[in-house]
Short mmCIF file of all heavy atoms in Angstrom, two decimals:
data_model
loop_
_atom_site.label_atom_id
_atom_site.label_comp_id
_atom_site.label_asym_id
_atom_site.label_seq_id
_atom_site.Cartn_x
_atom_site.Cartn_y
_atom_site.Cartn_z
N ILE Q 207 -6.49 -7.61 -15.95
CA ILE Q 207 -6.51 -6.68 -17.06
C ILE Q 207 -5.31 -6.93 -17.98
O ILE Q 207 -4.23 -7.30 -17.50
CB ILE Q 207 -6.58 -5.21 -16.61
CG1 ILE Q 207 -6.93 -4.28 -17.75
CG2 ILE Q 207 -5.23 -4.80 -15.97
CD1 ILE Q 207 -7.24 -2.88 -17.33
N SER Q 208 -5.51 -6.77 -19.27
CA SER Q 208 -4.40 -6.99 -20.22
C SER Q 208 -3.53 -5.71 -20.29
O SER Q 208 -3.96 -4.61 -19.91
CB SER Q 208 -4.93 -7.30 -21.62
OG SER Q 208 -5.64 -6.21 -22.16
N GLU Q 209 -2.32 -5.91 -20.77
CA GLU Q 209 -1.42 -4.74 -20.93
C GLU Q 209 -2.02 -3.73 -21.91
O GLU Q 209 -1.95 -2.53 -21.68
CB GLU Q 209 -0.05 -5.20 -21.44
CG GLU Q 209 0.74 -6.03 -20.43
CD GLU Q 209 2.14 -6.36 -20.92
OE1 GLU Q 209 2.58 -5.72 -21.88
OE2 GLU Q 209 2.75 -7.33 -20.39
N GLU Q 210 -2.59 -4.19 -23.00
CA GLU Q 210 -3.15 -3.32 -24.02
C GLU Q 210 -4.31 -2.48 -23.45
O GLU Q 210 -4.37 -1.26 -23.66
CB GLU Q 210 -3.64 -4.14 -25.21
CG GLU Q 210 -4.22 -3.28 -26.37
CD GLU Q 210 -4.70 -4.13 -27.48
OE1 GLU Q 210 -4.61 -5.36 -27.42
OE2 GLU Q 210 -5.21 -3.54 -28.50
N LYS Q 211 -5.19 -3.11 -22.72
CA LYS Q 211 -6.33 -2.41 -22.15
C LYS Q 211 -5.87 -1.35 -21.10
O LYS Q 211 -6.40 -0.28 -21.01
CB LYS Q 211 -7.33 -3.38 -21.52
CG LYS Q 211 -8.62 -2.72 -21.05
CD LYS Q 211 -9.58 -3.74 -20.43
CE LYS Q 211 -10.11 -4.68 -21.50
NZ LYS Q 211 -11.15 -5.61 -20.95
N PHE Q 212 -4.87 -1.74 -20.32
CA PHE Q 212 -4.37 -0.82 -19.29
C PHE Q 212 -3.70 0.39 -19.92
O PHE Q 212 -3.84 1.53 -19.44
CB PHE Q 212 -3.37 -1.53 -18.34
CG PHE Q 212 -3.05 -0.75 -17.13
CD1 PHE Q 212 -3.95 -0.63 -16.07
CD2 PHE Q 212 -1.81 -0.10 -17.01
CE1 PHE Q 212 -3.62 0.13 -14.95
CE2 PHE Q 212 -1.49 0.64 -15.88
CZ PHE Q 212 -2.41 0.72 -14.84
N ARG Q 213 -2.96 0.15 -21.01
CA ARG Q 213 -2.34 1.30 -21.74
C ARG Q 213 -3.42 2.23 -22.30
O ARG Q 213 -3.24 3.46 -22.26
CB ARG Q 213 -1.46 0.79 -22.89
CG ARG Q 213 -0.15 0.18 -22.47
CD ARG Q 213 0.81 0.05 -23.61
NE ARG Q 213 1.89 -0.88 -23.27
CZ ARG Q 213 1.89 -2.18 -23.56
NH1 ARG Q 213 0.83 -2.75 -24.13
NH2 ARG Q 213 2.93 -2.92 -23.20
N LYS Q 214 -4.51 1.67 -22.80
CA LYS Q 214 -5.59 2.54 -23.32
C LYS Q 214 -6.19 3.41 -22.20
O LYS Q 214 -6.46 4.58 -22.41
CB LYS Q 214 -6.69 1.65 -23.93
CG LYS Q 214 -6.29 1.06 -25.27
CD LYS Q 214 -7.44 0.26 -25.88
CE LYS Q 214 -7.07 -0.32 -27.22
NZ LYS Q 214 -8.18 -1.12 -27.81
N LEU Q 215 -6.36 2.83 -21.04
CA LEU Q 215 -6.84 3.59 -19.90
C LEU Q 215 -5.85 4.69 -19.52
O LEU Q 215 -6.21 5.81 -19.22
CB LEU Q 215 -7.09 2.71 -18.68
CG LEU Q 215 -8.26 1.72 -18.79
CD1 LEU Q 215 -8.24 0.76 -17.60
CD2 LEU Q 215 -9.57 2.46 -18.83
N MET Q 216 -4.57 4.33 -19.59
CA MET Q 216 -3.52 5.30 -19.22
C MET Q 216 -3.42 6.46 -20.17
O MET Q 216 -3.07 7.60 -19.78
CB MET Q 216 -2.18 4.52 -19.17
CG MET Q 216 -0.99 5.32 -18.67
SD MET Q 216 0.49 4.27 -18.63
CE MET Q 216 0.23 3.36 -17.12
N LEU Q 217 -3.76 6.26 -21.45
CA LEU Q 217 -3.59 7.28 -22.48
C LEU Q 217 -4.92 7.85 -22.94
O LEU Q 217 -4.96 8.59 -23.96
CB LEU Q 217 -2.85 6.70 -23.67
CG LEU Q 217 -1.43 6.18 -23.36
CD1 LEU Q 217 -0.80 5.52 -24.58
CD2 LEU Q 217 -0.51 7.30 -22.87
N SER Q 218 -6.00 7.55 -22.25
CA SER Q 218 -7.33 8.08 -22.65
C SER Q 218 -7.34 9.60 -22.50
O SER Q 218 -6.73 10.18 -21.58
CB SER Q 218 -8.39 7.47 -21.75
OG SER Q 218 -9.66 8.03 -22.02
N SER Q 219 -8.01 10.27 -23.45
CA SER Q 219 -8.00 11.74 -23.47
C SER Q 219 -9.33 12.39 -23.12
O SER Q 219 -9.49 13.59 -23.13
CB SER Q 219 -7.58 12.23 -24.85
OG SER Q 219 -8.50 11.75 -25.83
N GLY Q 220 -10.35 11.60 -22.73
CA GLY Q 220 -11.64 12.16 -22.49
C GLY Q 220 -12.14 12.12 -21.06
O GLY Q 220 -13.29 12.43 -20.80
N ASP Q 221 -11.24 11.74 -20.11
CA ASP Q 221 -11.74 11.53 -18.76
C ASP Q 221 -11.14 12.50 -17.71
O ASP Q 221 -11.74 12.67 -16.65
CB ASP Q 221 -11.39 10.07 -18.29
CG ASP Q 221 -12.32 9.55 -17.23
OD1 ASP Q 221 -13.35 10.19 -17.00
OD2 ASP Q 221 -12.01 8.52 -16.63
N MET Q 222 -10.05 13.14 -18.06
CA MET Q 222 -9.41 14.08 -17.10
C MET Q 222 -9.30 15.45 -17.75
O MET Q 222 -8.95 15.58 -18.91
CB MET Q 222 -8.03 13.54 -16.70
CG MET Q 222 -8.11 12.18 -16.02
SD MET Q 222 -6.48 11.50 -15.59
CE MET Q 222 -5.94 12.64 -14.37
N ALA Q 223 -9.60 16.48 -16.99
CA ALA Q 223 -9.70 17.84 -17.50
C ALA Q 223 -8.36 18.39 -17.97
O ALA Q 223 -8.26 19.06 -19.02
CB ALA Q 223 -10.30 18.76 -16.46
N ASN Q 224 -7.30 18.14 -17.22
CA ASN Q 224 -6.01 18.76 -17.52
C ASN Q 224 -4.91 17.75 -17.80
O ASN Q 224 -3.73 18.08 -17.70
CB ASN Q 224 -5.57 19.69 -16.37
CG ASN Q 224 -5.41 18.91 -15.07
OD1 ASN Q 224 -5.84 17.78 -14.96
ND2 ASN Q 224 -4.84 19.57 -14.08
N ASP Q 225 -5.28 16.52 -18.15
CA ASP Q 225 -4.25 15.50 -18.38
C ASP Q 225 -4.90 14.35 -19.14
O ASP Q 225 -6.12 14.29 -19.28
CB ASP Q 225 -3.74 15.02 -17.02
CG ASP Q 225 -2.41 14.27 -17.13
OD1 ASP Q 225 -1.92 14.14 -18.27
OD2 ASP Q 225 -1.90 13.82 -16.10
N VAL Q 226 -4.06 13.45 -19.64
CA VAL Q 226 -4.58 12.21 -20.21
C VAL Q 226 -4.61 11.14 -19.14
O VAL Q 226 -3.83 11.18 -18.18
CB VAL Q 226 -3.73 11.76 -21.41
CG1 VAL Q 226 -3.81 12.74 -22.55
CG2 VAL Q 226 -2.26 11.53 -20.99
N GLY Q 227 -5.48 10.20 -19.28
CA GLY Q 227 -5.62 9.15 -18.28
C GLY Q 227 -7.07 8.84 -18.03
O GLY Q 227 -7.97 9.34 -18.69
N SER Q 228 -7.33 8.00 -17.02
CA SER Q 228 -8.67 7.57 -16.71
C SER Q 228 -8.86 7.54 -15.20
O SER Q 228 -7.92 7.27 -14.42
CB SER Q 228 -8.94 6.19 -17.25
OG SER Q 228 -8.75 6.13 -18.65
N VAL Q 229 -10.09 7.78 -14.76
CA VAL Q 229 -10.48 7.65 -13.37
C VAL Q 229 -11.57 6.55 -13.36
O VAL Q 229 -12.62 6.72 -14.00
CB VAL Q 229 -11.02 8.96 -12.75
CG1 VAL Q 229 -11.43 8.73 -11.31
CG2 VAL Q 229 -9.97 10.06 -12.88
N VAL Q 230 -11.31 5.48 -12.61
CA VAL Q 230 -12.28 4.39 -12.53
C VAL Q 230 -12.70 4.26 -11.07
O VAL Q 230 -11.93 4.54 -10.16
CB VAL Q 230 -11.73 3.06 -13.06
CG1 VAL Q 230 -11.35 3.18 -14.53
CG2 VAL Q 230 -10.51 2.63 -12.26
N TYR Q 231 -13.93 3.81 -10.88
CA TYR Q 231 -14.50 3.65 -9.55
C TYR Q 231 -14.68 2.17 -9.22
O TYR Q 231 -14.48 1.30 -10.07
CB TYR Q 231 -15.81 4.46 -9.42
CG TYR Q 231 -15.56 5.94 -9.54
CD1 TYR Q 231 -15.60 6.56 -10.81
CD2 TYR Q 231 -15.28 6.70 -8.43
CE1 TYR Q 231 -15.35 7.92 -10.93
CE2 TYR Q 231 -15.03 8.07 -8.55
CZ TYR Q 231 -15.07 8.69 -9.79
OH TYR Q 231 -14.83 10.01 -9.91
N GLY Q 232 -15.09 1.90 -8.00
CA GLY Q 232 -15.13 0.57 -7.48
C GLY Q 232 -15.57 -0.54 -8.41
O GLY Q 232 -14.80 -1.40 -8.79
N GLU Q 233 -16.85 -0.51 -8.78
CA GLU Q 233 -17.39 -1.59 -9.62
C GLU Q 233 -16.74 -1.62 -11.00
O GLU Q 233 -16.53 -2.68 -11.55
CB GLU Q 233 -18.89 -1.42 -9.74
CG GLU Q 233 -19.66 -1.63 -8.44
CD GLU Q 233 -21.14 -1.45 -8.59
OE1 GLU Q 233 -21.60 -1.13 -9.71
OE2 GLU Q 233 -21.89 -1.69 -7.59
N GLN Q 234 -16.39 -0.45 -11.55
CA GLN Q 234 -15.74 -0.37 -12.83
C GLN Q 234 -14.34 -1.03 -12.75
O GLN Q 234 -13.92 -1.71 -13.70
CB GLN Q 234 -15.65 1.04 -13.32
CG GLN Q 234 -15.10 1.19 -14.74
CD GLN Q 234 -14.98 2.63 -15.17
OE1 GLN Q 234 -15.23 3.56 -14.39
NE2 GLN Q 234 -14.64 2.86 -16.42
N ALA Q 235 -13.64 -0.78 -11.68
CA ALA Q 235 -12.30 -1.39 -11.51
C ALA Q 235 -12.35 -2.89 -11.48
O ALA Q 235 -11.49 -3.59 -12.02
CB ALA Q 235 -11.65 -0.87 -10.21
N VAL Q 236 -13.44 -3.43 -10.92
CA VAL Q 236 -13.66 -4.89 -10.90
C VAL Q 236 -14.01 -5.37 -12.31
O VAL Q 236 -13.49 -6.40 -12.78
CB VAL Q 236 -14.73 -5.28 -9.88
CG1 VAL Q 236 -15.01 -6.76 -9.93
CG2 VAL Q 236 -14.28 -4.89 -8.48
N GLU Q 237 -14.91 -4.68 -12.97
CA GLU Q 237 -15.32 -5.08 -14.33
C GLU Q 237 -14.13 -5.06 -15.30
O GLU Q 237 -14.04 -5.91 -16.18
CB GLU Q 237 -16.40 -4.12 -14.83
CG GLU Q 237 -17.72 -4.24 -14.11
CD GLU Q 237 -18.73 -3.20 -14.55
OE1 GLU Q 237 -18.36 -2.34 -15.39
OE2 GLU Q 237 -19.87 -3.20 -14.01
N LEU Q 238 -13.20 -4.11 -15.15
CA LEU Q 238 -12.04 -4.02 -16.01
C LEU Q 238 -11.00 -5.07 -15.67
O LEU Q 238 -10.11 -5.32 -16.47
CB LEU Q 238 -11.41 -2.66 -15.90
CG LEU Q 238 -12.20 -1.47 -16.52
CD1 LEU Q 238 -11.63 -0.13 -16.07
CD2 LEU Q 238 -12.15 -1.56 -18.02
N GLY Q 239 -11.11 -5.71 -14.55
CA GLY Q 239 -10.16 -6.72 -14.16
C GLY Q 239 -8.97 -6.23 -13.38
O GLY Q 239 -8.02 -6.97 -13.11
N ILE Q 240 -9.00 -4.95 -12.96
CA ILE Q 240 -7.89 -4.42 -12.17
C ILE Q 240 -7.94 -4.96 -10.75
O ILE Q 240 -6.90 -5.35 -10.21
CB ILE Q 240 -7.92 -2.86 -12.17
CG1 ILE Q 240 -7.88 -2.31 -13.59
CG2 ILE Q 240 -6.80 -2.31 -11.35
CD1 ILE Q 240 -8.12 -0.84 -13.68
N ILE Q 241 -9.14 -4.96 -10.16
CA ILE Q 241 -9.33 -5.45 -8.79
C ILE Q 241 -10.17 -6.68 -8.85
O ILE Q 241 -11.06 -6.87 -9.71
CB ILE Q 241 -10.02 -4.36 -7.94
CG1 ILE Q 241 -9.15 -3.10 -7.89
CG2 ILE Q 241 -10.29 -4.86 -6.51
CD1 ILE Q 241 -7.82 -3.26 -7.22
N ASP Q 242 -9.95 -7.60 -7.89
CA ASP Q 242 -10.67 -8.89 -7.89
C ASP Q 242 -12.15 -8.75 -7.61
O ASP Q 242 -13.00 -9.36 -8.31
CB ASP Q 242 -10.06 -9.85 -6.87
CG ASP Q 242 -8.65 -10.27 -7.24
OD1 ASP Q 242 -8.34 -10.30 -8.45
OD2 ASP Q 242 -7.86 -10.60 -6.34
N ARG Q 243 -12.50 -7.98 -6.57
CA ARG Q 243 -13.91 -7.95 -6.19
C ARG Q 243 -14.25 -6.73 -5.36
O ARG Q 243 -13.34 -6.06 -4.80
CB ARG Q 243 -14.27 -9.19 -5.38
CG ARG Q 243 -13.57 -9.29 -4.03
CD ARG Q 243 -13.83 -10.60 -3.31
NE ARG Q 243 -12.99 -11.67 -3.79
CZ ARG Q 243 -12.72 -12.79 -3.09
NH1 ARG Q 243 -13.27 -12.97 -1.91
NH2 ARG Q 243 -11.95 -13.71 -3.58
N ILE Q 244 -15.52 -6.38 -5.31
CA ILE Q 244 -16.03 -5.34 -4.42
C ILE Q 244 -16.05 -5.94 -3.01
O ILE Q 244 -16.42 -7.08 -2.81
CB ILE Q 244 -17.44 -4.92 -4.83
CG1 ILE Q 244 -17.41 -4.16 -6.16
CG2 ILE Q 244 -18.08 -4.04 -3.75
CD1 ILE Q 244 -16.75 -2.77 -6.10
N GLY Q 245 -15.67 -5.12 -2.01
CA GLY Q 245 -15.69 -5.63 -0.65
C GLY Q 245 -15.55 -4.49 0.34
O GLY Q 245 -15.06 -3.42 0.03
N THR Q 246 -15.97 -4.77 1.56
CA THR Q 246 -15.82 -3.86 2.69
C THR Q 246 -14.73 -4.41 3.62
O THR Q 246 -14.13 -5.45 3.33
CB THR Q 246 -17.15 -3.70 3.43
OG1 THR Q 246 -17.49 -4.99 3.96
CG2 THR Q 246 -18.27 -3.21 2.53
#
Side-chain angles (χ1 to χ4, degrees):
I207 193 170
S208 66
E209 292 184 17
E210 182 181 0
K211 186 180 291 185
F212 191 75
R213 286 194 195 94
K214 286 183 178 179
L215 291 171
M216 186 178 281
L217 301 174
S218 175
S219 60
D221 206 11
M222 299 177 67
N224 60 348
D225 197 0
V226 295
S228 302
V229 180
V230 299
Y231 295 89
E233 293 180 356
Q234 186 181 5
V236 175
E237 291 173 359
L238 289 168
I240 301 172
I241 300 296
D242 292 334
R243 65 185 82 159
I244 291 289
T246 62

